[in-house]
């Protein structure tokens, strides 16, 4: 289990003042690629001066990619983490590059033994550069590769055991996969090594033409909060963070969403 973080929100430059003045924010997360490796935005300096943990969250390491690890991107994440004195860093169980192309999207990794070997090797190399705990997040996917050899739970469990990394469990992504891929989120929770939980992501989305989109731009559905409750029935999460990336609502709406998350965690 990671260190105690509390309830947090994703820091974005569009809502920097909102985050600074909002009560009930115990920690924040920043997209590492949006931060300069040599200096912090003033708002993040303010939050760090208050003692709030600021966790860098990467989106471009492509740890599940078959190409050699882009160590420049890992070194950028390490530099941002040093700047923030962050207790841990994170990225996703996915790939974003292949054959010289960038998908612009987090792509699912085939759940095969071969893909797991590549992921383990890349995570091990990244960890040697980072020099601090690395948490890996389950993603939302609109497709699954055929011929899976492992369940998602078994795949993630073996990854964690072989690399000694942590888990960043995104219950909104689990909810999206339940809606779109008929995945069983409760079975996934039952199979995950929750003793390796770093923290949890919660986010909103919307359904369009029968497909649920994890937009990070809409209200958190009750189903996602219910899934957070299922997780909290199994373990008390070190931290739970609300992600919001677009169509920012009034400050009071964000505060209400944080309060709803805290109510589930503290029940």
């Amino acid at each position: 289990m990671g260190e105690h973080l509390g309830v947090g929100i994703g820091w974005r430059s569009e809502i920097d003042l909102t985050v600074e003045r909002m009560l009930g924010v115990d920690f924040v997360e920043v997209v590492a690629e949006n931060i300069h490796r040599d200096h912090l935005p003033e708002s993040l300096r303010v939050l760090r001066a208050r003692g709030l943990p600021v966790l860098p969250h990467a989106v471009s390491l492509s740890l599940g990619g078959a190409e050699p690890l882009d160590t420049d991107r890992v070194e950028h994440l390490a530099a941002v983490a040093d700047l923030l004195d962050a207790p841990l860093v994170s990225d996703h169980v996915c790939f974003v590059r292949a054959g010289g192309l960038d998908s612009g999207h987090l792509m699912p990794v085939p759940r095969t033994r071969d893909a797991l070997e590549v992921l383990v090797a890349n995570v091990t190399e990244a960890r040697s550069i980072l020099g601090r705990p690395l948490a890996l997040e389950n993603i939302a996917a609109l497709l699954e590769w055929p011929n899976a050899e492992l369940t998602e739970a078994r795949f993630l469990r073996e990854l964690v055991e072989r690399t000694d990394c942590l888990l960043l469990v995104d219950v909104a992504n689990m909810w999206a996969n339940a809606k779109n891929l008929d995945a069983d989120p409760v079975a996934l929770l039952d199979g995950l090594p929750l003793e390796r939980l770093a923290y949890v992501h919660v986010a909103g989305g919307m359904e369009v033409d029968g497909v649920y989109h994890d937009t990070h731009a809409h209200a958190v559905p009750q189903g996602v909060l219910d899934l957070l409750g299922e997780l909290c029935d199994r373990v008390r999460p070190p931290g739970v963070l609300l992600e919001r990336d677009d169509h920012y609502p009034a400050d009071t709406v964000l505060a209400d969403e944080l309060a709803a998350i805290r109510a589930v965690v503290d029940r």
Side-chain angles (χ1 to χ4, degrees):
M1 293 282 280
E3 63 179 61
H4 179 72
L5 295 165
V7 174
I9 190 168
W11 183 92
R12 306 291 185 261
S13 59
E14 296 91 340
I15 54 170
D16 54 356
L17 296 178
T18 294
V19 174
E20 278 181 46
R21 64 184 172 226
M22 188 175 290
L23 298 176
V25 174
D26 302 318
F27 75 108
V28 301
E29 178 190 81
V30 297
V31 176
E33 288 82 356
N34 292 344
I35 303 298
H36 196 281
R37 63 186 296 161
D38 297 320
H39 62 266
L40 294 175
E42 175 62 23
S43 175
L44 291 180
R45 289 200 293 270
V46 168
L47 295 172
R48 282 298 298 124
R50 281 190 208 155
L52 260 68
V54 180
L55 309 181
H57 182 57
V59 296
S60 69
L61 299 190
S62 200
L63 294 167
E67 297 170 354
L69 189 66
D70 185 341
T71 53
D72 286 347
R73 294 176 188 268
V74 183
E75 285 164 1
H76 176 86
L77 176 58
V80 171
D82 287 343
L83 205 57
L84 293 166
D85 192 24
L88 63 104
V89 299
S90 59
D91 200 310
H92 304 80
V93 179
C94 74
F95 69 96
V96 297
R97 286 182 298 282
L101 299 175
D102 194 310
S103 68
H105 200 73
L106 306 179
M107 299 293 292
V109 176
R111 290 199 305 271
T112 62
R113 290 280 172 198
D114 286 347
L116 181 59
E117 291 302 320
V118 169
L119 192 55
V120 166
N122 286 340
V123 170
T124 301
E125 184 180 357
R127 287 204 64 208
S128 71
I129 295 168
L130 291 166
R132 69 188 71 223
L134 170 63
L136 298 177
E137 177 183 347
N138 58 296
I139 70 164
L142 292 176
L143 61 88
E144 281 193 300
W145 299 106
N147 304 317
E149 297 168 3
L150 300 159
T151 64
E152 186 174 8
R154 182 66 182 271
F155 191 87
L156 293 174
R157 177 177 287 278
E158 291 202 18
L159 173 63
V160 166
E161 289 173 351
R162 293 178 58 185
T163 62
D164 198 33
C165 64
L166 299 170
L167 278 180
L168 170 46
V169 173
D170 191 315
V171 291
N173 289 348
M174 292 170 63
W175 170 253
N177 290 345
K179 301 280 279 186
N180 296 331
L181 303 175
D182 289 327
D184 184 344
V186 175
L188 177 53
L189 283 176
D190 284 339
L192 288 178
L194 293 176
E195 70 278 3
R196 301 293 296 169
L197 182 62
Y199 59 109
V200 177
H201 273 173
V202 171
M206 66 179 299
E207 195 164 318
V208 180
D209 297 330
V211 177
Y212 182 80
H213 295 271
D214 180 50
T215 62
H216 296 190
H218 297 85
V220 176
Q222 184 59 46
V224 172
L225 291 176
D226 291 344
L227 204 48
L228 175 62
E230 287 277 355
L231 182 146
C232 292
D233 288 342
R234 291 158 175 77
V235 65
R236 184 170 178 86
V240 182
L241 181 124
L242 174 66
E243 292 184 291
R244 184 81 183 215
D245 293 320
D246 205 358
H247 300 310
Y248 299 102
D251 292 5
T252 52
V253 174
L254 285 177
D256 286 347
E257 292 213 310
L258 286 180
I261 289 167
R262 193 179 295 276
V264 174
V265 175
D266 290 345
R267 69 184 184 186

